[in-house]
Amino acid sequence: MLTRWRRRRAVRYLDVLALAVKARGWRCVKLYGREFPKPMLWVYASGVAEDVGVVVGVCAVPGGSWAYHDVKKGRSGYLVPCGDAKAAAEQIDLLLKHRMFPSTW
């Protein structure tokens, strides 16, 4: 369970990421409620391929910094350091496009 301070920081990072992925045309659902042990952001395709998505969380990494990660893959699903939401949105964009159109990669 996260402390309140860590939970607020995670939510702030995910809020910034939500704006960045929405700017790229993706939809997202904020999973921040108390029923979720850790705040998460579900980013998914709109339209025909709504079953394609990724759940993103944040975690502390050695050295005191934070990073976005693919929740399904755990810490091995590292995307980019928090603080660079634009780069994280680019990584998520590439990941989702690959999942939607695997034969084009």
Side-chain angles (χ1 to χ4, degrees):
M1 195 59 79
L2 293 176
T3 64
R4 272 191 207 136
W5 177 84
R6 292 182 78 167
R7 186 175 194 84
R8 280 193 300 256
R9 177 170 261 189
V11 166
R12 264 194 315 245
Y13 283 131
L14 292 172
D15 280 341
V16 173
L17 179 61
L19 294 173
V21 296
K22 284 180 182 178
R24 291 184 156 272
W26 300 104
R27 293 182 183 227
C28 54
V29 174
K30 297 174 182 181
L31 307 171
Y32 301 169
R34 296 204 188 283
E35 64 271 18
F36 300 102
K38 294 182 180 180
M40 298 174 284
L41 182 69
W42 175 36
V43 182
Y44 63 98
S46 60
V48 195
E50 289 186 7
D51 58 334
V52 175
V54 62
V55 178
V56 179
V58 295
C59 62
V61 294
S65 61
W66 291 67
Y68 295 110
H69 70 98
D70 180 345
V71 171
K72 185 176 179 182
K73 293 183 179 182
R75 290 186 183 261
S76 67
Y78 174 87
L79 295 170
V80 297
C82 289
D84 193 354
K86 183 177 178 182
E90 289 173 12
Q91 288 294 318
I92 292 168
D93 185 59
L94 290 172
L95 177 67
L96 292 177
K97 285 179 179 174
H98 175 68
R99 289 182 183 175
M100 289 175 62
F101 312 107
S103 62
T104 61
W105 296 83

